[in-house]
Amino acid sequence: MGAAFEIKTMAQLAAEDKHPEILFWVGCAGSFDARAQKVTVAFCKILKEAKVDFAILGTEESCTGDPARRAGNEFIFQMTALQNVEMLNMYNVKKIVTACPHCFNTIANEYPDLGGNYDVVHHTQFIKELIDEGRLKIAEGGVFEGKKITYHDSCYLGRVNGVYEAPRSILEQLDNDLVELKRSRSNGLCCGAGGAQMFKEDEPGDKRINTERVEEALASGANIIAANCPFCITMLSDGVKSFDKQDEVMVYDLAELIVNNNKL
Amino acid sequence: MLQVIIFIIIAAAAFYMAFKKFFKIRRNILLGKDVELVNDSSQRIKNTLLIAFGQKKMFKRIVPAVFHFFIYAAFLLTSLELVEIFIDGVFNQHRFFYPYLGGFYTFILSIIEILSVLAFIGTLIFLIRRNLLKLPRFHKPEMEGWPKLDGNIILYLEILLICFVMMMNGADEVLFNRAATHAHMMEGVTGSFNFAISDWLGPMLFGGIESVGTLHVIERIGWWGHILVVFSFLNYLPISKHLHIMLAFPNVYWAKLNSRGQMDNMPAIMNEVKSMMDPNAAFDESAMDEEIPEFGAKDIFDLSWRDIMGAYTCTECGRCTSVCPANITGKKLSPRKIMMDIRDRAEEVGLNMDTGKIEFIAEAKREDGAKLTAKNYDDGKSLFDYISKEELHACTTCNACVEACPVMINPLDPILKLRRYEILTESAGPSDWLPMFTSIENTGSVWQIPDARDKWTEQLKPKDN
């Protein structure tokens, strides 16, 4: 465990008249969900390790509005999104990184219509950038050497935004045996959380979508399911539990894998 | 001469009836709202060449793609041959281009024949696949009845078409061998057309027939059968899923180019929220309409013309449904059904509008002399009579259907527009969503959690010793 440190907010930095290199958009899941908080913390450790000058919005951040908009509630979306855009523009934010593909998609693709234009990257892309620039080194002979890891493409990073390679190249660096799922990349199967499904009961059917997806992941024989989205992590973990495999198969975000590997 | 008159009458009637139907479809498509198009014609042309002409997206599933390509290529090239058939039909000629094109004519006809045989095999395989192999996507509930019959009729017509082509060319080959062909400037000449297939298939099938008269009859049956199937197809297309052979091209050309992750913005709501947020904005009464505004889509009039064109383009292959996570796990949602429903509803509205009856004018707008238009149309029904809320609520917006469609139909757009209607105009929707909405509105988070948003940072704070 590396040394503890303090996370600065944009407001604090603005008071010191400083502008960080990048804003870390934490998102609702990353802020409040106990499981996703671990990813948030892991990603902060990586940012610190790579000496990235970053800040968060802290209590000034609000939901991007993605689930409201996809549920059909444009009013709620506009209310929260316009506030966010106002805030981001006030701090003159240029570059944003987020560990949530839904936040990533909404800020990158939908905020421009609302007057918010930023350079937005998903944390897997940013981590890859850090590695490529030599700012982050992946420790050799790490804990994942030879371990079987499979990767679940989230819809909003993969099929919707076409990011397939950055997460895979990170996994390759971890020196593991990456097994692809039958349905991967543009054919990836949804975890079942998108489109505001996360916040409601399933419609009547034969089985849950996460069960279908986890069946496929278990069939791959992997011990670790790597994901890039807090909602996928919830869905996949629930699915693994439903098969009573939680002691054999772990669901991790890529950031957590790096933290474990590098013992940060 | 009689043949010429009959040909011209049939051709004129076939084209007249077909074009009338095509114009109705065009009218129905334009009942939809205008679309703000991203202006990038080079990308659009590229898409049309790669995805429509090149069938790039079909090749995600290689076996059906190959056989489909045979049928498609045969169709494209046989269309070329239609030019000659028309000249022959109108000017009482036979194989008008043969003496002028010579070897090139043989080359083109040979390719058409080879493709026809491949298409024949493809069609047989498709018939087997559709009816015997029980491929799940061909046996979903929305495929019962007419859609199933429609799929088979097309394949039967294709088989018939190819048989007629072979009769025509085969009998003519035998006639040519016996110096009895009527081909342009070839009367009395003995020879062979040397077409790749009929060169041997013709003598094999018809070589035993002694009577030249009978051979001429067979050749004529082939010629007339072929063109009559073509005319039937032309008139069948407007009521069939097979319409994709025409609409696939404009549908791909005008497909959405902006990011898949970008839902259409709603400026009316954005501006209202902006004025709510702006403490200096005076309450502008002129902005208030007398009518309560409707948001989202309830009927085809509220969809875009692109959505309706997509519905008419859909050939019901079910690739979207076969990758839909909701459908895979037994939910009622099927993206294909959404598109089929939109087409059915557009057809229903179109037929009602054709009657011009007062009963289809909204009651409040039935003043004297009011004519039925898209603006005052109301038959008491809507898309919600076709599409249930349960289907709409099952969508995860994962875009798998959008990715899967070989002709770039977007079933997600109409689904989201219908959801918007339910939530914004009807103030209905799954009650599970209400806590999420109120929580975002009141606390800025999707969950109602009393903790501060940055409480997690404590996990990283230096601990006091």
Side-chain angles (χ1 to χ4, degrees):
Chain A
M1 180 93 185
F5 59 101
E6 201 154 347
I7 310 280
K8 296 270 187 185
T9 62
M10 290 301 284
Q12 285 169 328
L13 291 184
E16 299 167 28
D17 202 23
K18 282 184 189 158
H19 291 280
E21 173 189 342
I22 199 161
L23 167 72
F24 172 27
W25 182 276
V26 185
C28 296
S31 300
F32 295 112
D33 179 84
R35 178 69 191 83
Q37 280 177 350
K38 291 185 181 162
V39 179
T40 307
V41 168
F43 183 55
C44 285
K45 287 178 182 169
I46 292 172
L47 291 174
K48 177 163 183 277
E49 173 74 11
K51 301 192 174 58
V52 176
D53 173 24
F54 76 100
I56 59 169
L57 278 169
T59 53
E60 291 184 310
E61 187 188 277
S62 284
C63 171
T64 59
D66 159 84
R69 185 171 234 197
R70 270 144 194 86
N73 200 330
E74 187 74 3
F75 268 105
I76 302 289
F77 167 75
Q78 293 285 351
M79 279 163 66
T80 185
L82 285 167
Q83 273 181 44
N84 284 328
V85 169
E86 199 176 73
M87 182 77 54
L88 292 166
N89 288 348
M90 183 187 84
Y91 286 121
N92 199 13
V93 170
K94 298 271 182 286
K95 192 167 180 182
I96 300 173
V97 62
T98 174
C100 171
H102 294 270
C103 296
F104 164 70
N105 177 71
T106 298
I107 301 173
N109 295 321
E110 299 190 325
Y111 279 14
D113 277 344
L114 277 59
N117 292 284
Y118 321 102
D119 178 9
V120 192
V121 288
H122 184 251
H123 73 311
T124 55
Q125 292 172 301
F126 193 63
I127 290 171
K128 178 161 189 303
E129 267 176 49
L130 294 176
I131 296 171
D132 289 349
E133 289 166 5
R135 295 168 75 181
L136 179 70
K137 298 249 184 316
I138 301 291
E140 303 226 348
V143 285
F144 298 112
E145 206 176 77
K147 277 245 172 87
K148 249 189 173 180
I149 302 186
T150 191
Y151 173 68
H152 165 81
D153 286 281
S154 68
C155 304
Y156 274 79
L157 186 64
R159 194 161 37 236
V160 172
N161 285 292
V163 181
Y164 303 113
E165 297 312 323
R168 283 180 170 79
S169 88
I170 295 171
L171 286 171
E172 275 160 27
Q173 303 238 6
L174 290 172
D175 233 5
N176 69 87
D177 183 8
L178 178 65
V179 270
E180 287 287 355
L181 292 174
K182 220 174 90 205
R183 288 171 280 197
S184 66
R185 289 194 166 83
S186 63
N187 298 325
L189 181 75
C190 176
C191 71
Q197 295 296 327
M198 183 75 189
F199 305 97
K200 64 186 264 298
E201 289 298 317
D202 289 356
E203 298 307 311
D206 305 332
K207 61 155 100 158
R208 304 201 66 201
I209 296 171
N210 57 348
T211 313
E212 168 86 12
R213 186 54 160 169
V214 166
E215 262 174 11
E216 193 176 338
L218 294 178
S220 76
N223 323 96
I224 291 167
I225 306 172
N228 60 50
C229 167
F231 300 104
C232 294
I233 291 177
T234 302
M235 285 306 214
L236 296 172
S237 305
D238 284 355
V240 170
K241 262 181 232 146
S242 73
F243 287 99
D244 205 22
K245 295 274 184 196
Q246 65 273 21
D247 297 327
E248 296 144 61
V249 179
M250 303 293 167
V251 184
Y252 283 121
D253 184 271
L254 281 148
E256 294 177 294
L257 295 180
I258 291 174
V259 166
N260 287 347
N261 183 79
N262 282 21
K263 303 192 172 60
L264 294 175
Chain B
M1 204 52 214
L2 185 65
Q3 272 202 48
V4 171
I5 293 166
I6 294 173
F7 179 82
I8 291 175
I9 290 172
I10 293 178
F15 278 111
Y16 175 74
M17 291 190 302
F19 276 101
K20 227 171 112 181
K21 285 185 196 147
F22 286 128
F23 276 109
K24 291 242 162 90
I25 289 175
R26 185 176 176 274
R27 189 265 324 259
N28 292 354
I29 288 172
L30 293 177
L31 291 175
K33 284 189 171 154
D34 222 353
V35 182
E36 222 179 288
L37 288 169
V38 179
N39 233 341
D40 185 354
S41 45
S42 69
Q43 183 59 42
R44 293 186 183 285
I45 290 166
K46 201 177 140 201
N47 282 349
T48 311
L49 290 176
L50 276 176
I51 296 167
F53 282 98
Q55 307 195 348
K56 186 179 157 201
K57 290 187 132 205
M58 284 292 287
F59 281 87
K60 265 201 164 183
R61 301 188 193 192
I62 189 80
V63 176
V66 168
F67 290 111
H68 181 269
F69 194 85
F70 290 155
I71 298 174
Y72 159 75
F75 159 75
L76 275 191
L77 276 169
T78 316
S79 309
L80 273 181
E81 202 200 353
L82 283 178
V83 175
E84 187 188 45
I85 294 213
F86 267 95
I87 291 174
D88 289 355
V90 174
F91 299 104
N92 200 20
Q93 297 290 334
H94 186 56
R95 298 197 188 276
F96 180 74
F97 291 120
Y98 181 64
Y100 306 113
L101 298 176
F104 184 65
Y105 187 93
T106 305
F107 174 71
I108 291 287
L109 265 287
S110 291
I111 289 187
I112 289 176
E113 286 199 351
I114 292 167
L115 283 171
S116 295
V117 171
L118 293 172
F120 188 80
I121 297 167
T123 310
L124 284 181
I125 287 173
F126 283 169
L127 268 173
I128 292 167
R129 210 169 60 121
R130 206 166 255 277
N131 296 290
L132 301 177
L133 291 189
K134 300 279 170 215
L135 217 66
R137 66 185 157 104
F138 292 134
H139 297 274
K140 296 275 172 187
E142 68 266 23
M143 295 309 286
E144 277 162 23
W146 167 247
K148 188 181 161 141
L149 180 66
D150 183 24
N152 282 326
I153 288 175
I154 295 154
L155 294 172
Y156 293 139
L157 280 176
E158 265 159 26
I159 288 196
L160 206 58
L161 190 75
I162 296 164
C163 289
F164 282 133
V165 170
M166 286 305 162
M167 273 173 82
M168 174 173 84
N169 289 356
D172 213 11
E173 172 67 21
V174 177
L175 286 167
F176 201 7
N177 296 162
R178 298 184 197 169
T181 179
H182 290 323
H184 189 43
M185 290 162 72
M186 292 296 140
E187 307 260 0
V189 180
T190 309
S192 165
F193 290 111
N194 289 319
F195 300 152
I197 307 290
S198 58
D199 188 37
W200 52 270
L201 188 69
M204 198 174 91
L205 291 175
F206 311 117
I209 298 170
E210 295 292 324
S211 155
V212 166
T214 308
L215 285 169
H216 275 300
V217 170
I218 293 171
E219 191 278 333
R220 282 293 92 186
I221 291 174
W223 191 90
W224 277 100
H226 171 249
I227 194 67
L228 288 176
V229 173
V230 170
F231 288 149
S232 314
F233 245 128
L234 193 65
N235 280 277
Y236 182 65
L237 286 182
I239 58 160
S240 164
K241 77 184 191 78
H242 209 50
L243 189 56
H244 81 291
I245 63 170
M246 298 172 84
L247 287 187
F249 302 94
N251 196 68
V252 168
Y253 183 83
W254 277 301
K256 202 170 165 178
L257 291 185
N258 37 4
S259 166
R260 275 181 190 164
Q262 185 190 356
M263 274 177 73
D264 292 338
N265 195 30
M266 299 179 81
I269 294 181
M270 179 177 76
N271 293 332
E272 195 177 325
V273 172
K274 268 185 180 165
S275 69
M276 274 160 53
M277 283 167 63
D278 183 0
N280 303 320
F283 190 69
D284 186 4
E285 285 196 29
S286 65
M288 294 288 285
D289 264 321
E290 307 99 72
E291 271 185 83
I292 303 157
E294 288 206 349
F295 295 113
K298 175 194 186 188
D299 210 343
I300 52 160
F301 304 102
D302 313 313
L303 297 175
S304 69
W305 59 260
R306 182 156 64 193
D307 297 325
I308 305 173
M309 181 167 69
Y312 276 104
T313 306
C314 176
T315 194
E316 299 163 17
C317 72
R319 280 168 173 75
C320 52
T321 294
S322 74
V323 295
C324 171
N327 194 278
I328 288 170
T329 54
K331 277 97 184 167
K332 224 176 135 194
L333 174 64
S334 162
R336 167 175 57 189
K337 178 181 171 292
I338 302 288
M339 300 320 292
M340 291 167 73
D341 287 340
I342 293 170
R343 179 172 178 170
D344 288 348
R345 174 62 184 156
E347 282 290 298
E348 181 182 53
V349 171
L351 285 174
N352 288 343
M353 289 193 57
D354 288 342
T355 66
K357 283 185 185 161
I358 306 285
E359 61 178 281
F360 296 122
I361 299 180
E363 265 180 66
K365 294 173 183 168
R366 281 183 203 165
E367 62 256 29
D368 281 340
K371 285 224 163 59
L372 179 61
T373 65
K375 290 252 182 294
N376 60 23
Y377 183 90
D378 185 4
D379 61 359
K381 290 172 81 177
S382 74
L383 274 170
F384 288 104
D385 291 290
Y386 290 78
I387 301 168
S388 67
K389 303 277 165 78
E390 185 182 328
E391 291 162 70
L392 300 174
H393 296 167
C395 176
T396 70
T397 73
C398 77
N399 275 274
C401 53
V402 179
E403 167 75 26
C405 182
V407 290
M408 294 184 91
I409 299 166
N410 186 328
L412 181 56
D413 269 358
I415 290 174
L416 290 172
K417 287 173 189 168
L418 289 158
R419 272 192 182 180
R420 278 177 165 171
Y421 183 86
E422 190 192 9
I423 298 277
L424 298 170
T425 307
E426 292 184 322
S427 299
S431 56
D432 288 349
W433 277 343
L434 289 177
M436 182 258 288
F437 294 152
T438 37
S439 185
I440 294 178
E441 189 178 358
N442 297 332
T443 70
S445 158
V446 288
W447 298 289
Q448 196 95 42
I449 287 174
D451 289 344
R453 201 173 174 97
D454 57 358
K455 191 164 186 286
W456 61 270
T457 55
E458 288 168 13
Q459 297 176 36
L460 283 162
K461 268 198 184 136
K463 301 226 168 33
D464 298 323
N465 290 325

